[in-house]
């Protein structure tokens, strides 16, 4: 709780917004830091993670112990991508999907948090370091320009489609 009698020196307001792309853009583009937490806390032990979440996957999945599928359903790199496209430094959980995109050309595109209890400290340190935020922002914008645009993704899809078509065996002649 923020306000009179608050134990916390730092208070953060949270607003619920009706979805509107321009309104959301206008809010997010001015953020100092973007947060993209997952719903599963990362742990050292995959068996522990599996035991805690197996029930969620046994009805739907044929592979209930699949760590990547488990984190994919609970961690969303798409949220991080939005911040990256805007150049807003983003903090992510250490789940496989966000980790795949946490580095570009040897530079970090996000700050990865490996333990739930260090989120607050990590965010505070990033907020206190405008130089680190500027470097992250520059790398994120370059990554987003090189990989996250519709044009780039369309080119990749066309190239992969062409590869598949080139490998296709010629039609058999029945004559």
């Amino acid at each position: 709780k923020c306000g009179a009698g608050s134990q916390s020196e730092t208070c953060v307001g949270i607003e619920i917004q009706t979805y509107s792309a321009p309104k959301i853009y206008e809010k997010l583009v001015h953020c100092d830091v973007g947060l993209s937490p997952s719903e599963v806390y990362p742990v050292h032990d995959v068996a522990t993670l599996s035991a805690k979440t197996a029930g969620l996957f046994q009805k739907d999945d044929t592979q209930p112990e699949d760590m990547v599928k488990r984190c994919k359903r609970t961690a969303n790199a798409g949220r991080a991508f939005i911040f990256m496209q805007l150049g807003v430094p983003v903090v992510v959980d250490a789940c496989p999907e966000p980790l795949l995109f946490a580095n570009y050309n040897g530079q970090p595109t996000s700050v990865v948090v490996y333990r739930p209890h260090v989120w607050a400290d990590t965010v505070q340190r990033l907020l206190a370091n405008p130089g680190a935020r500027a470097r992250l922002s520059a790398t994120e914008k370059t990554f987003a320009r090189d990989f996250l645009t519709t044009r780039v993704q369309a080119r990749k899809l066309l190239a992969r489609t062409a590869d598949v078509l080139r490998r296709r065996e010629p039609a058999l002649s029945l004559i």
Side-chain angles (χ1 to χ4, degrees):
K1 292 183 176 181
C2 294
S6 172
Q7 299 292 328
S8 174
E9 293 179 23
T10 305
C11 293
V12 176
I14 297 176
E15 297 177 35
I16 304 298
Q17 297 284 321
T18 303
Y19 181 80
S20 158
K23 190 186 290 185
I24 289 173
Y25 170 83
E26 187 59 35
K27 293 282 185 183
L28 294 181
V29 77
H30 299 295
C31 289
D32 293 321
V33 173
L35 305 179
S36 186
S38 67
E39 296 170 23
V40 172
Y41 295 127
V43 294
H44 281 298
D45 183 9
V46 174
T48 302
L49 179 61
S50 295
K52 287 182 178 181
T53 59
L56 300 172
F57 295 87
Q58 289 174 347
K59 293 178 185 167
D60 303 321
D61 268 337
T62 56
Q63 300 174 332
E65 300 303 313
D66 188 334
M67 172 80 165
V68 174
K69 282 186 182 179
R70 185 154 314 185
C71 283
K72 181 161 179 48
R73 198 177 267 184
T74 57
N76 185 350
R79 289 185 298 239
F81 290 165
I82 302 268
F83 288 117
M84 289 177 183
Q85 289 171 319
L86 297 172
V88 175
V90 65
V91 181
V92 300
D93 267 335
C95 251
E97 190 178 34
L99 282 175
L100 289 173
F101 309 101
N103 187 305
Y104 181 59
N105 287 337
Q107 300 297 317
T109 57
S110 59
V111 176
V112 180
V113 176
Y114 290 88
R115 299 272 192 291
H117 64 278
V118 297
W119 267 86
D121 184 53
T122 301
V123 171
Q124 287 175 349
R125 280 196 328 257
L126 189 55
L127 285 170
N129 191 335
R133 291 196 319 270
R135 287 186 297 278
L136 274 171
S137 177
T139 304
E140 289 174 348
K141 286 179 181 177
T142 302
F143 172 75
R145 182 198 66 223
D146 293 350
F147 288 100
L148 300 179
T149 66
T150 306
R151 186 176 304 275
V152 168
Q153 293 304 314
R155 274 193 224 123
K156 282 182 171 181
L157 178 61
L158 288 173
R160 287 186 180 139
T161 302
D163 285 345
V164 167
L165 291 173
R166 267 190 240 108
R167 288 187 209 125
R168 179 181 278 171
E169 296 293 324
L172 294 174
S173 172
L174 298 176
I175 300 178

